[in-house]
Structure formats: structure tokens, C-alpha cells
Amino acid sequence: MNTFGELFRVTTFGESHGPAMGAVIDGCPAGVPLTTEVVQTALNRRRPGQSAITTARAEADQVELLSGVFEGKSLGTPIAAIVRNQDARSQDYAALATQDRPGHADRVWRERFRHRDPRGGGRTSGRETLSRVIGGAIAEALLHREVPALRVVAWVSQVGPLIAPEPPAGLSRVQVDAHPSRCPDDAVAAQIEASILEAKAAGDSLGGAITVRIEGPPVGLGEPVFGKVKARLADAFTGVGAVCGVAFGPADLEQRLTLPGTQFHRPRADGTPADVYGGVQGGLTNGEAVQVRVLFKPPATLSDHAKAGRHDPCILPRAVPVLEAMTAMVFADLWLSTLARPHRP
Amino acid sequence: MNTFGELFRVTTFGESHGPAMGAVIDGCPAGVPLTTEVVQTALNRRRPGQSAITTARAEADQVELLSGVFEGKSLGTPIAAIVRNQDARSQDYAALATQDRPGHADRVWRERFRHRDPRGGGRTSGRETLSRVIGGAIAEALLHREVPALRVVAWVSQVGPLIAPEPPAGLSRVQVDAHPSRCPDDAVAAQIEASILEAKAAGDSLGGAITVRIEGPPVGLGEPVFGKVKARLADAFTGVGAVCGVAFGPADLEQRLTLPGTQFHRPRADGTPADVYGGVQGGLTNGEAVQVRVLFKPPATLSDHAKAGRHDPCILPRAVPVLEAMTAMVFADLWLSTLARPHRP
Amino acid sequence: MNTFGELFRVTTFGESHGPAMGAVIDGCPAGVPLTTEVVQTALNRRRPGQSAITTARAEADQVELLSGVFEGKSLGTPIAAIVRNQDARSQDYAALATQDRPGHADRVWRERFRHRDPRGGGRTSGRETLSRVIGGAIAEALLHREVPALRVVAWVSQVGPLIAPEPPAGLSRVQVDAHPSRCPDDAVAAQIEASILEAKAAGDSLGGAITVRIEGPPVGLGEPVFGKVKARLADAFTGVGAVCGVAFGPADLEQRLTLPGTQFHRPRADGTPADVYGGVQGGLTNGEAVQVRVLFKPPATLSDHAKAGRHDPCILPRAVPVLEAMTAMVFADLWLSTLARPHRP
Amino acid sequence: MNTFGELFRVTTFGESHGPAMGAVIDGCPAGVPLTTEVVQTALNRRRPGQSAITTARAEADQVELLSGVFEGKSLGTPIAAIVRNQDARSQDYAALATQDRPGHADRVWRERFRHRDPRGGGRTSGRETLSRVIGGAIAEALLHREVPALRVVAWVSQVGPLIAPEPPAGLSRVQVDAHPSRCPDDAVAAQIEASILEAKAAGDSLGGAITVRIEGPPVGLGEPVFGKVKARLADAFTGVGAVCGVAFGPADLEQRLTLPGTQFHRPRADGTPADVYGGVQGGLTNGEAVQVRVLFKPPATLSDHAKAGRHDPCILPRAVPVLEAMTAMVFADLWLSTLARPHRP
């Protein structure tokens, strides 16, 4: 179905060639500071055409709030938000209808939905993630009020073979957004940007990894069996189109897994637990930063080189705010779930 | 919460030191061939004490079906199954209550649940996965009737630094179970078994990876946005205690991600699509085998070496049927969801 | 929350004084014939100002489909529909903010949501039922394709002390809509309409009952324990603002309940089962027509007589399509649920 | 499905002729005082054979808690409880398999579930309500800790044509249980008991009504659109086998609905709002007592008079604790839902 979350629920809708994309956010309590600008600012970070390394397609992506907000605060009722599609060109469909695009799910969709729509309803498009950014912006507003110490930040940590060193604690979105590649390391960012421009010119594409970090989480969020924090985030991230893997913990997790347990779990020099848990133990946040590495396939490229300028050669920079949004939605839901469990001694 | 699935729902219960573990399976339609033996056979594959390389703890793990089955078939009503705990020794608790075990979630649980129970209700125990194997056995019985071509098999593909080559299509559980390590490669299996015995003797532990493969899935299972097949499996697997990552597709996915898209997506020599999608495109099964690599941390070892014989130095061999069970539960749910969507041209 | 249904899910949003009302329908399979006109026709039956006996408030209630429909058929993706509010006058709020309206939930809402919005976000308004009519129109389109024999019809069976005789099987919406009161009995309809005009002139209001009938249901819809057909409909109907009771079965159910079981359950002269079950046995449809009597309170009247012309003195005529919509949503969901349970001998 | 509730979830299982009945309660937070005795005491109030006016069937109905409780308190993990069936006689089935019982759902079940089990899996039996009483007992323990002012009481207010006057506020379960009929009015109780004995002797049965009252609810429980308090209770009560209607508000609601709104809503002499709302306004509790009248059909009687002694001629006395249990489950869920919505000005 098209709803994400249990208590903080985001329902998304919209086809990339239809009239509008949107989301309905249910479960946001009353009194959370919220305006159109808050949501628009979040959407602007995802919008195409932000720099030379993204698609040249023009979409203003202006959001309109239809319900749930009054005089700058949430009402406690469902918040509906829509973005009109400006650049939907139905004349393209006849051509597309005649062939399946390599690397795309066109055939699979047709077998599943049995319909004539050549693009599977347009829900396969990365444009669908716009709805998630809306949900994430509202989740962040809620978290900001309820758990002000919690901070979510994501960055591009790998593109093709180029890998950035792990940034220190306290990394901010401003630091990430300072680079078109959203890689916060100056040297690697420059290499990545050159690499993406080269791929763009060649009609090629690049994959890689984004790392997501949640600093300052309360202790004990999550559920012990189903609904572990790991499981909630893994579900959230692998639900984004091109994602093909997740790994919790340090960047060199694969290497560390080759170590025996006595070394893997060895406490740090200062006596605190090892830094291998990615902030999650027994399914619950342990109070340390949660960190996840998210793997992305390179996008399937279009066979038609004439359209080469209209696709993203590397979706990772624009996927950063999408993963941040998914994270905020997960933590908003976890937070409300925790309130619904008044455990007492 | 403690329920997994939407239409095929498995609710698990039980603490490792309490009277019993169990599960209630709701949503299994009537007429599925089911007996106590079917479930017991599945549980026997997970049971401790199967070989020298697992824990020496003795648990018969005899299952009793309390409802939902009549004369060898499911009734269409909830199926409740329980397994009594034989080896629960409450006298151990006083000692445990006084200290948090390193690498365990004891402190986190105490902060979350605020209770006196020293082991967080015993739900952190790996023994909880017994309930999942019950659910998986029933899911497999349903799938066997509904989608007989679908086959789920998992194997140990890595322990510590030892990595097995990828087995050919058609690998069977009999071939996997032929080795105590559940690694189907004779040579690597022997190394792994020696390595685990060594760790056991040293009071140490080992992590690694299990690969799960689903052969013969129908085309088009899954949901396009939330509820992608990837997301459902990632949720299922990262919900198992020691799992710290998943990667969909070929075993060398990390290496392939460094390639540009034109190479990554390049069709195979015979013209069929590239083998990089792990059987999932646009969130849906594409009809090819689904394959996932699941990463496991080494278990946190007990500080008390006197108990060294009573823990699993490497949980991977016993986790194989647990991941198979989670997979079966996911696919049973996906199958019923598909039936509930009568798409027509 | 604001979602109705499990597999056919309708999420509603919108405040009566906000920019728009709307709904997102998720779970409608692909290929169902659907157009803007289908939904608009349903909304027109609920629209204010249809006759002298309803409110004089003017609302065009023009619907726009934003997603999920393409070339006259559903896509299998979420269907979002909105209706702009034309007659929202924010200048009224300052006045309303200063006093709680008798018979209204103003105080209760303020204590729950703690916000400044004087009308609890405007979700208490009967205008919210517009979203349900949208959901119902789409549910009916699905049912029409899947279960063409099923027909839902409701009528006003009581207003104040005036009670209409039970209409024969086969009653159509055309017959019901022939009277502004939506009471299909010519004589009683005339009395009811006079009675409503009298109440309107006096600034008074009237309650009564609507009877809902579902002819031609398949045998065996519903769930045996929770989710009985009775329970699903009772939930659906008592979720409409002024409803204060439901009774399944014949119009004279209360009288029949005073009879002993041997008389109550006595089969009809032709040997068929008694007509007392309201079409539901053991929680499931038994194939006969399902019939429910739904009780409505008179609306709470405004203390300000100057506004007397702008409220509905009797909401029952306009509530008829709302209850039909709720019924269609329930049966669409029951139908999909049944498909998801492939029971076999 | 077989789960009731969103945050306080009760999953029931068991066939009346199978090994055991039971329930799993998920969502009960840690630290709620709970023992086997608490649950057993609740079950004893429902148990058959309590007096001459109920069935002569003997069932000890001894409950066993399998999980979720430790040293007299809930653990915050799922609570599983089972009751073994002692009086299941499989030899009766051959006879029953050959004929459908009049007034029973045998035929409907067979068409739905397509199985050989002559009693539809035994889930149609009133014995299934045992599981609900378990869930209710735990819900009450939670409510007692969280909302100590809230009190749930139900009583038999009508049997056949005999109607009891409305008891004053503060009615206790002790007062209700003082009469085998669970009618708290001495005179009417005596008539009812004579009437039931007469029906029992004649192999006949009786229906009627139970009134449920919730005193001391917090203001603002419930949801404004779907999930109104009315809807939650209507769903809960009509989900009990023989229930065929509900009416919220005063006992004479049907008569009051014939009044115009100015009279219906007229405030009481002391200026407080009219007593017509049944404690619910705008879908939310308004702080006054919630009151609901629940209508019951007479049970379908067995054609075999030899078994007359083994059925309940009037199930209402034993249904009183079942409706109380459903009420407690609804309010426990509403309470946890409210905690999950931290509305702020």
C-alpha cells in the first residue's frame, strides 16, 4: 500500500505524468509550528536543476497545504499537501508505450497491473520521493518540538569508486549542502563532481553510498522483536528506488565482521562500549548516534541519448534529503509509539 | 509490537525464562495441509545441540498446536502453537540482575521498560526466533499449496574471513544441511567448522553472512512504493537479533557498485537483463531468483567463561532456518496481498 | 486516525473553513472504470441546496482527481481527489471563538486538541462527509465490476414521529431521490417534507432514522470473530456525526426481541429461514439482503436565529448518500479481504 | 482477522472442540499489577454453570499465563494466556455433520471456509468470548493503574418483554452479581429469573438488552472522524455473537428521537447540557458517563430436546462480563492512543 508508519502515518499519491503529487500526514499532534515555507524549504533541497550535476528538467515544485495547518501551527487533523506537475508531457507516452526501457521495471509493472499506462502509473518515477520529503518536513517539525536534541544528517559517502572519509560528529546540513555533490569532504567532493559531469557528458550514470546519521536520539526507542530500529530504518531506506543494501555501524563494517567477537565487541579505551553497534542494541536505540550506510545502484540510463540532459547521471546528491526525510518519519513514529507505552517500575 | 505481516500475520510471545514460547498465525486460509510434524520438523532444524559447533544447552522444543488445525488441514482460524521451556533456571537471575553484560542490551532494556526483570523480559534472547520458525513452517505450507514453484533456501556464505563461492541454481536444503556449518561448499565448510570449534574452545565468537535465495517467484509480487519486496525482506532480516546489514543482488555487489551504469546494467551475453537486480525491479519481483546477503555480528560473549559451553560461538548455522522462515512469512503475505488486488486490463 | 478500511483504504482530510476537503483511496485495483463524472455525480447527491428542505448554503463541490486515474480507468495507484471550499468565511471565527455552541463538541475539542481553532479544526463539520462520498463512489465502481449483483440503497424511514412503511425488495435510488425527503413512500414523504419546512421556519431541527439495505451480497463475506459484517457496518454508520444507534434486521426488531426464541427463529411459511437475521449469521453474509436501521439525533441548532437559513433542519435526506458511501466502502473492503483468503476443501 | 485494537491489541484463538482457547495481549506496558488470579476471577464471572438459569455444562476454565508476566507485574512483552477445553466431545461431530442447525451459521460457514469441520472451526461458539474476557481483565488492570476514576459496569436491562428501570449512578458489579440474572432491580430480576427457568424447561430461549455504562472517563478520548468512541464501542459490541443493535444515550432514546431538536437538546434544569449524548460529543468523551444499550437476539435453540439442559436459554447474564471486557479493551486502546498524541497549545 502507499502508507508509511503506524502512528505518524504518511500516505503518498501522484503519478509523474498526472496532475499532481502529494501526501497526507496523519497523526501529527496539534500545536506543532508549521508553515508552507517549512515544507517548501525541504522540497527545494530535493528539487531538480539545483546545479550542473543534476538533471536539467525544470520543476518549480511549489507546495500547497490543503488542510491540517492553521495560523502557523498544526491542528491535530490530517495535513494534506500537493505539488502540481508542470513538466508532464503526455505526447511522450505513445513512443514509450512501444518499448520496455532496459533496466526499468516497465515489463514487470505491466504484468502486475495489466494496464495500458506505459510507465506503470508513473509511480516508479523518482519524482514520487517528493511526497516523502513533504512527510519528512512535517516529521522533523514534530521531532524538533518533542525531541529537540535529535538531529538527522545524511551525506554522500561514496560515488563509483570514490569514497569519502567519515566526517566528525556534529556534521551539519549546511556543511553537506556546501557541495553540489553533498559530499562534505572538500577533496573527494571535487573528484565526485568531476566524475558526475564526465558521466553526464557520456550519457552514463554512477551509483555509490549515502551515510545517514542520527545524533542525540533518546535511549530505548524501537521495539524489541519486530519493529527494531534497524528494521524500521532498513525498511525505510530499501523502500527508496535505487537502494540495494544497508549496513548499520561503522563505515568499515564489512572488514570488522571478519574479526572474532572478543575484538569486535572490545570496549573503547575510555571504557565505553565498542563503536560497532550503530547506536542500536537489542533493537533499541542505546543513546549513541545511529549510523547507517545505504547502497545505491547507478540509475538505468535511457537508450535515447537525445534525452541525456534530462536525467540525473547520479541521484545520490538529490537522494540525501529523501533519506533524511525517511529517517525523520521513522523517528517521529518511534517517538509517538514510545509515548503510547507508559512503562513504569 | 509483536506481530509480523499484514494479511499473513504472525504474533509471537514468550520469554526465554518463562513457561513457554509460541506464536499465533492469523490469515492462513482453510484447507492447507498442516500437522504437528510439519512444524516440529522445522523447529528441529533450529534446535540447539544439533552438533558440536552449537550450544550444548538441551531443549527438546516439542511443539503443541492448540488451535486452527483439524484432521491434517488448516481450518481458516488462527493457528496457535506453543513450546514449553524446559531449561529455564530462575536461580540464575539474582546473579545477572547485578551486572549488565557487555555487548548486550541489558541497560537499554532497563531504561526502556523500567522493570526489575534482569533480561528485559527474556525477549532479547535468540530463543525468541523459535516462534518465527513456527510461523515460517506454516507460511511454507501455504506457499507450497499456492505457489508450488517457489523455493526458499539459505546458506552460510561467510564466517569471519572465510567466504564460500556462490552455489549454483537449484541448491537444496538437504545439500545445505549436509554440513553442520550449513555452508554448502565442502572445502570452506570444513574450514568454517574448524574455525567455530576453535572459537568455542577459546570462549570467543564469530560473525559473517548468510545468503538467502528465493527461486521461482511469480512475477510482480510486492508493492511499488512502500512495501517493495526489498523493503519487506530488509525489514524481516534486520529484525533478527544479530543482523547488521543486507545487500540485494550478486555476492560481489559492493564491487559492482563502483562501475558506471552502462557496465552495471549491461545485459548478459544471451540478451537477458543483467544479473544485478537481485530479482527485484521497481519494488516488484521480476521472475528471476531473489537473492540477498545478510550480515551478522559475532555474538556478544559471556564474561563468565564457566558458561562458555552454553552459548553459540557462531549463530549463523542455526540462523539459516530463521531467515528462511522470515522469507516464507514475507512471501506468504505478499502472495495474499496480490490476490487482494484483482488488477484487470 | 483518519483512514477507513484495511485493504480498500480511504484517508480523508480537510477542514470546513480550510482550502479544500479531499480523500485518498488506496487499494483500488487497476482497470476499474472511473471518471471525474462518476465521482461528481455521487457528490451532487450530497451537495447542499438541492431543495427547499436543506440548507441554503451554496457550495458547488466540484471535484478534481489528482492521481490514480488514466484514460477512464483506475491505475492501481492511490486515487487522490479534492474539492475546494468556496464558502469558508474566516471572519466568522472571532465571534465563534468566544462561546461554546450548545449541543456542539466545541469544549470537548478544545480540551482534547488544546488549540485556538474555534471549531476543532473544522473536522467536526458535516462537510467532512463529502470525503466519504468520494470514497464511496470509487468503492461502488469497484463493486460494480467485481460483484455486479450487489446493490446498496438507503432511504429515510423516519423523521421525528413520522415512520414510513418498509418498501418492497428492489427499491432503487431513483425511487428514493424522487422525493426531496428521500423517503420513498409518497404519503409519508409529503408529511415529512412539510414537517421539515415547519422546523426550518421555527429554527428547529428533526432527527429520525435511515434504513440501509444491501441486496444481492455474496454468501460468506465478513469475518467470524472481530470484523463481523454487523461490526463493520455498525462502526461505519456510528462514525457518522449525528448517528446514535443501529439495529440489524426487520424494522420492528425491538418488538420481535420480546418474543421467545422458538417464535423469533421460526422459519417462514415456505420453509426458508426466518427474516430476523438482517442478512448476517455468524458474522457473515448469508446471501439474503442485509438491512440496518440507523438512528439519527436532531442536529444541535444554532442559538443565533439570524443564521437559521444556513443550517440543515434535518440532515437525514443528505445523509442517505453518506450511509450508502460508507456501506460501499465496507463491502469493497470485505470483498478484497475475501479474495485474500483462498479457502479450499 | 482475529485481532482487536490498535495499540492495546488482543488476538484470540481456539475452537470450542479443540485443545484450548486463548488470547495474546500485545501493547500492555510494563509494570501493570497482574496475576493469574486477576484473570481467573474475571473468567469465573463468565463461566457456565454458575446458577440454575445457565447451561449445565461443566467447564473449569482454568487459565494459565504463558508469558508477559513476572513477579506479579506485566513485563511490557506480549501476554499469552490459555484455557484448556475439558468438555470437547469429538464423538458428537459425526451426528452434527449431517445436518445444519436452524438459526445457526453452519451453511454460511461451510460456503465460506469450504471445510469439513461441521462447526465452522468452532469459532462460532459463544465459548470464543472466553478469550475476550482474558483480554478485558488485562485491559482493566491497565486502566486501573492509568485512569483509576474510570469504572465499567454492565447489567441486564431487558429480557423478553421485561424491562428494568434505570439504576442510579454508582451501580457496582457486586450489586449486579447479587442476582443470577445480573439485573440489579430486585423485582424485575425475580421476574426475569422465573421467565428464564420457564424457557429452559420448555426448551425455549430469550433475548433482550444489556446496558453498558462507563463512569468517570477522561474528557476527549476518541477520534473525531473514524474511530469515534461511539464507533469503537458499536464495533466492539456488535462483534459479540447474538448482538443485533446498539443505542447510545438514555434508555428511552427511541422515544426522544421523535422530539424536535430544541426539546431534545434542552439543557437540564441546573444548566448542564442535556442528558441525551450518551457521554459522547463530536466522537469524543465529554466527561459524563458513557451509556449504551445493547440488543440481543434470543439464542437459536437446538432441535434436539435431549440436549436442552446443555445450552443457555438466555445468554444475557453471562454476556455481561463479555461486554464489560470489550469496553475495557476499547478504553485501554483509546487511552494509549491519546498518550500517542501530545497535543499542545
Side-chain angles (χ1 to χ4, degrees), chain A residues 64-269:
Chain A
E64 181 187 11
L65 300 186
L66 297 178
S67 68
V69 175
F70 185 67
E71 296 184 349
K73 288 195 177 177
S74 62
L75 281 168
T77 58
I79 302 166
I82 62 172
V83 170
R84 299 273 170 184
N85 292 322
Q86 300 186 315
D87 204 5
R89 291 187 268 183
S90 53
Q91 65 272 28
D92 290 351
Y93 297 136
L96 278 161
T98 61
Q99 57 179 22
D100 290 343
R101 296 165 296 167
H104 283 267
D106 297 349
R107 177 185 64 89
V108 175
W109 269 75
R110 204 174 50 244
E111 293 201 26
R112 168 72 183 276
F113 289 96
R114 299 173 182 279
H115 52 51
R116 298 165 299 172
D117 184 354
R119 286 199 185 177
R123 292 285 280 169
T124 51
S125 166
R127 189 156 173 75
E128 178 272 332
T129 58
L130 180 158
S131 301
R132 308 187 187 206
V133 171
I134 294 171
I138 294 166
E140 290 219 332
L142 170 61
L143 287 169
H144 186 68
R145 187 189 78 174
E146 295 286 314
V147 198
L150 187 147
R151 283 175 3 100
V152 177
V153 65
W155 66 92
V156 172
S157 49
Q158 176 180 350
V159 167
L162 302 166
I163 298 180
E166 189 155 310
L171 179 74
S172 73
R173 288 187 190 167
V174 171
Q175 291 172 289
V176 172
D177 287 356
H179 300 274
S181 60
R182 288 203 166 107
C183 171
D185 183 90
D186 291 345
V188 180
Q191 293 176 286
I192 285 175
E193 286 151 26
S195 173
I196 295 175
L197 285 174
E198 195 178 330
K200 189 179 180 183
D204 211 331
S205 65
L206 292 166
I210 289 173
T211 301
V212 181
R213 188 188 276 171
I214 302 103
E215 295 187 333
V219 177
L221 292 187
E223 295 288 334
V225 178
F226 307 122
K228 287 182 167 76
V229 169
K230 286 183 306 179
R232 296 294 298 270
L233 290 174
D235 168 49
F237 296 151
T238 53
V240 172
V243 174
C244 51
V246 294
F248 290 81
D252 60 346
L253 178 73
E254 285 264 357
Q255 288 72 22
R256 302 249 208 139
L257 290 181
T258 62
L259 298 175
T262 45
Q263 291 179 45
F264 185 88
H265 293 285
R266 181 170 294 161
R268 280 173 275 203

Side-chain angles (χ1 to χ4, degrees), chain D residues 220-233:
Chain D
L221 292 188
E223 294 289 332
V225 178
F226 307 121
K228 287 182 167 76
V229 170
K230 286 184 305 179
R232 297 293 298 271
L233 290 174

Side-chain angles (χ1 to χ4, degrees), chain A residues 1-2 113, chain B residues 340-343, chain C residues 7-9 25-34 68-69 73-79 138-139 141-143 145 336:
Chain A
M1 315 285 285
N2 294 276
F113 289 96
Chain B
R341 300 276 169 269
H343 300 302
Chain C
L7 287 170
F8 186 90
R9 287 190 208 170
I25 292 84
D26 199 5
C28 184
V32 174
L34 264 182
V69 176
K73 289 195 176 177
S74 62
L75 281 169
T77 57
I79 301 166
I138 293 165
L142 171 61
L143 288 169
R145 187 189 76 174
L336 297 182

Side-chain angles (χ1 to χ4, degrees), chain A residues 1-4 6 10-12 102-105 107-109 111-115 123-124 128 132 158-161 202-208 219-228 230-232 234-249 253-254 256-265 267 273 276-277 280-287 293 295-301 326 329 337-338 341 343-345, chain B residues 1-4 6 10-12 102-105 107-109 111-115 123-124 128 132 158-161 202-208 219-228 230-232 234-249 253-254 256-265 267 273 276-277 280-287 293 295-301 326 329 337-338 341 343-345:
Chain A
M1 315 285 285
N2 294 276
T3 297
F4 187 83
E6 294 290 320
V10 178
T11 301
T12 74
H104 283 267
R107 177 185 64 89
V108 175
W109 269 75
E111 293 201 26
R112 168 72 183 276
F113 289 96
R114 299 173 182 279
H115 52 51
R123 292 285 280 169
T124 51
E128 178 272 332
R132 308 187 187 206
Q158 176 180 350
V159 167
D204 211 331
S205 65
L206 292 166
V219 177
L221 292 187
E223 295 288 334
V225 178
F226 307 122
K228 287 182 167 76
K230 286 183 306 179
R232 296 294 298 270
D235 168 49
F237 296 151
T238 53
V240 172
V243 174
C244 51
V246 294
F248 290 81
L253 178 73
E254 285 264 357
R256 302 249 208 139
L257 290 181
T258 62
L259 298 175
T262 45
Q263 291 179 45
F264 185 88
H265 293 285
V276 291
Y277 307 116
V280 183
Q281 282 180 284
L284 310 176
T285 51
N286 67 6
R293 189 160 165 268
L295 306 179
F296 283 76
K297 294 186 295 196
T301 48
M326 296 307 297
M329 285 158 58
S337 296
T338 299
R341 301 275 169 268
H343 299 302
R344 297 190 187 169
Chain B
M1 313 286 284
N2 294 276
T3 298
F4 186 83
E6 294 290 319
V10 178
T11 301
T12 74
H104 283 267
R107 177 184 64 88
V108 175
W109 269 76
E111 293 201 27
R112 168 70 183 276
F113 289 95
R114 297 172 185 280
H115 51 52
R123 292 286 280 170
T124 50
E128 179 274 330
R132 308 185 187 208
Q158 178 181 352
V159 168
D204 212 330
S205 66
L206 291 165
V219 177
L221 292 188
E223 296 289 333
V225 178
F226 306 122
K228 286 182 168 77
K230 285 184 304 179
R232 295 293 298 272
D235 167 48
F237 297 151
T238 53
V240 173
V243 173
C244 52
V246 294
F248 290 80
L253 179 73
E254 286 264 357
R256 303 250 208 138
L257 290 180
T258 63
L259 299 174
T262 45
Q263 292 178 45
F264 185 87
H265 294 285
V276 292
Y277 306 115
V280 183
Q281 280 180 287
L284 311 176
T285 51
N286 66 6
R293 190 161 164 266
L295 306 179
F296 283 76
K297 296 185 293 196
T301 48
M326 296 308 295
M329 286 158 57
S337 295
T338 299
R341 300 276 169 269
H343 300 302
R344 298 190 186 169

Side-chain angles (χ1 to χ4, degrees), chain C residues 1-4 6 10-12 102-105 107-109 111-115 123-124 128 132 158-161 202-208 219-228 230-232 234-236 238-249 253-254 256-265 267 276-277 280-287 293 295-301 326 329 337-338 341 343-345, chain D residues 1-4 6 10-12 102-105 107-109 111-115 123-124 128 132 158-161 202-208 219-228 230-232 234-236 238-249 253-254 256-265 267 276-277 280-287 293 295-301 326 329 337-338 341 343-345:
Chain C
M1 314 287 285
N2 295 277
T3 297
F4 186 82
E6 294 289 321
V10 178
T11 301
T12 75
H104 282 267
R107 176 185 64 88
V108 175
W109 269 74
E111 293 202 25
R112 168 70 183 276
F113 289 94
R114 300 175 183 279
H115 52 51
R123 291 286 280 169
T124 52
E128 178 272 331
R132 308 187 188 206
Q158 177 181 350
V159 167
D204 211 331
S205 65
L206 291 165
V219 177
L221 293 187
E223 294 289 332
V225 177
F226 307 121
K228 286 183 167 76
K230 287 184 304 179
R232 296 293 298 271
D235 167 49
T238 54
V240 173
V243 174
C244 51
V246 294
F248 289 81
L253 179 73
E254 284 264 356
R256 303 250 206 138
L257 290 181
T258 63
L259 298 174
T262 47
Q263 292 179 45
F264 185 88
H265 292 286
V276 291
Y277 307 115
V280 183
Q281 282 180 284
L284 310 176
T285 51
N286 66 6
R293 191 162 164 266
L295 307 178
F296 282 77
K297 297 186 292 196
T301 48
M326 296 308 295
M329 285 156 57
S337 295
T338 299
R341 300 277 169 266
H343 299 302
R344 299 192 185 166
Chain D
M1 313 287 283
N2 294 277
T3 297
F4 187 83
E6 293 290 321
V10 178
T11 301
T12 74
H104 282 268
R107 177 185 63 89
V108 175
W109 267 76
E111 293 202 25
R112 169 71 184 277
F113 289 95
R114 299 172 185 279
H115 51 51
R123 292 286 281 168
T124 52
E128 178 272 331
R132 308 186 187 208
Q158 178 182 349
V159 168
D204 211 331
S205 66
L206 291 165
V219 177
L221 292 188
E223 294 289 332
V225 178
F226 307 121
K228 287 182 167 76
K230 286 184 305 179
R232 297 293 298 271
D235 168 48
T238 54
V240 173
V243 173
C244 52
V246 295
F248 289 80
L253 179 73
E254 285 264 356
R256 305 252 206 134
L257 290 181
T258 64
L259 299 174
T262 46
Q263 291 179 44
F264 185 88
H265 293 286
V276 292
Y277 307 115
V280 182
Q281 281 181 286
L284 310 177
T285 52
N286 66 7
R293 190 161 164 269
L295 306 179
F296 283 77
K297 296 187 292 196
T301 48
M326 296 306 297
M329 285 157 57
S337 295
T338 300
R341 300 276 169 267
H343 299 303
R344 299 192 186 167

Side-chain angles (χ1 to χ4, degrees), chain C residues 16 47-48 57-62 83-88 127:
Chain C
S16 60
R47 193 169 55 189
R57 196 173 49 204
E59 287 279 357
D61 286 353
Q62 290 293 320
V83 170
R84 298 273 171 185
N85 293 321
Q86 300 186 315
D87 205 4
R127 189 158 174 74

Side-chain angles (χ1 to χ4, degrees), chain C residues 23-99:
Chain C
V24 180
I25 292 84
D26 199 5
C28 184
V32 174
L34 264 182
T35 59
T36 304
E37 290 66 38
V38 165
V39 181
Q40 188 64 55
T41 301
L43 283 171
N44 290 349
R45 293 184 68 226
R46 183 208 155 276
R47 193 169 55 189
Q50 298 171 67
S51 78
I53 68 171
T54 66
T55 173
R57 196 173 49 204
E59 287 279 357
D61 286 353
Q62 290 293 320
V63 72
E64 181 187 12
L65 300 185
L66 296 178
S67 67
V69 176
F70 183 68
E71 297 185 349
K73 289 195 176 177
S74 62
L75 281 169
T77 57
I79 301 166
I82 62 170
V83 170
R84 298 273 171 185
N85 293 321
Q86 300 186 315
D87 205 4
R89 291 187 268 184
S90 55
Q91 65 272 29
D92 291 351
Y93 298 135
L96 277 161
T98 61
Q99 57 180 20

